[in-house]
Amino acid sequence: MEIIWQGIIKACEMLLQGNREIMQVTVLTIKVSGLATLISVIIGLPVGVFLALSVFPGRRLLVSLVNFGMGLPPVVVGLWVSIFLWRNGPLGFLHLMYTPTAMVLAQAIIASPIVIGFTIAAIQQLNPKIRLQIIALGATWWQTLLFLVREARMGLLAAVMAGFGGVISEVGASMMVGGNIKGETSVLTTATVLEVSKGNLDVAIAISVILLALAYGVTLFLTIQQQKRPV
């Protein structure tokens, strides 16, 4: 227990003293995870709504692939992204390997199936009669879509939270495509792993406390938005 308290005290000291290195790592974590979540939401919500409301041959196969993607091992994603971004890979000319952009790409790939899957579930949980009633009242396609999205608001925000949770806690892919380079691609999760490997458990615990506080802060904000009563 003593080492845990030391870690918590260390975390408070780092934040209160404005430790430059930890601030840099925290800001990069927010940027990478925030962008990855945004990309996954931009891709996931429309695709999820489309799959939930459409009927076409092969739909069940696509949904099964989405559900499979929700459990993709991050290290596998990191491996394939690395293969594509290597100097001799198909996208090697972009020179993205070991950059924050590569980390955003890998994390977005991890989070997108999660957002799509939760979105499908949120829309499909709505009473099918609601859609028919709206259409019968003369609503346009866009009006119907907006109404359904509003009705599924709680589930859709849960999709965003799940996507964010998937990227903020990710380690394997980030280390493989980012390299955990100090001052350039080191984020809170990879920094924690590095400090543990160096035997600095108090620092590792301190960084993990900051990571947990950051993750909870974002989740709390989204939860407040989710639980607001519709006007």
Side-chain angles (χ1 to χ4, degrees), residues 181-230:
I181 303 172
K182 185 176 180 180
E184 295 185 24
T185 60
S186 180
V187 292
L188 289 172
T189 50
T190 58
T192 302
V193 174
L194 177 62
E195 294 301 330
V196 170
S197 67
K198 291 162 61 177
N200 300 328
L201 295 183
D202 57 336
V203 178
I205 293 174
I207 296 174
S208 70
V209 169
I210 296 171
L211 174 62
L212 290 173
L214 173 62
Y216 178 71
V218 174
T219 303
L220 176 62
F221 171 77
L222 293 174
T223 301
I224 292 173
Q225 301 304 312
Q226 181 193 49
Q227 298 301 317
K228 280 184 178 178
R229 292 182 179 274

Side-chain angles (χ1 to χ4, degrees), residues 7-24:
I8 295 174
I9 294 171
K10 186 77 172 179
C12 294
E13 290 178 352
M14 287 179 171
L15 293 175
L16 293 175
Q17 294 174 0
N19 184 285
R20 182 177 179 181
E21 184 177 341
I22 200 65
M23 290 299 178
Q24 187 178 32

Side-chain angles (χ1 to χ4, degrees), residues 125-139:
Q125 283 179 352
L126 297 176
N127 191 329
K129 294 181 180 179
I130 294 178
R131 183 183 178 190
L132 298 176
Q133 290 174 349
I134 299 171
I135 295 174
L137 291 172

Side-chain angles (χ1 to χ4, degrees), residues 76-217:
V76 174
V77 175
L79 171 63
W80 283 96
V81 172
S82 297
I83 291 173
F84 275 83
L85 296 183
W86 275 121
R87 183 182 303 174
N88 297 326
L91 301 178
F93 64 94
L94 296 175
H95 305 292
L96 296 178
M97 196 63 181
Y98 300 132
T99 65
T101 303
M103 298 168 68
V104 171
L105 177 61
Q107 290 188 6
I109 292 173
I110 292 170
S112 291
I114 298 175
V115 176
I116 295 172
F118 272 76
T119 300
I120 293 173
I123 298 296
Q124 287 186 330
Q125 283 179 352
L126 297 176
N127 191 329
K129 294 181 180 179
I130 294 178
R131 183 183 178 190
L132 298 176
Q133 290 174 349
I134 299 171
I135 295 174
L137 291 172
T140 63
W141 186 85
W142 278 108
Q143 288 174 329
T144 302
L145 180 61
L146 289 174
F147 182 84
L148 293 176
V149 168
R150 182 181 179 185
E151 288 296 303
R153 177 176 60 89
M154 294 183 68
L156 296 180
L157 280 171
V160 176
M161 283 187 274
F164 174 75
V167 298
I168 195 69
S169 60
E170 195 283 318
V171 181
S174 295
M175 293 191 73
M176 293 182 72
V177 302
N180 196 24
I181 303 172
K182 185 176 180 180
E184 295 185 24
T185 60
S186 180
V187 292
L188 289 172
T189 50
T190 58
T192 302
V193 174
L194 177 62
E195 294 301 330
V196 170
S197 67
K198 291 162 61 177
N200 300 328
L201 295 183
D202 57 336
V203 178
I205 293 174
I207 296 174
S208 70
V209 169
I210 296 171
L211 174 62
L212 290 173
L214 173 62
Y216 178 71

Side-chain angles (χ1 to χ4, degrees), residues 41-77:
V41 168
I42 292 174
I43 295 172
L45 291 185
V47 173
V49 172
F50 172 77
L51 290 175
L53 299 177
S54 303
V55 178
F56 56 88
R59 175 186 170 279
R60 291 184 178 179
L61 176 61
L62 288 178
V63 174
S64 69
L65 290 175
V66 169
N67 292 334
F68 170 72
M70 292 174 69
L72 275 179
V75 289
V76 174
V77 175

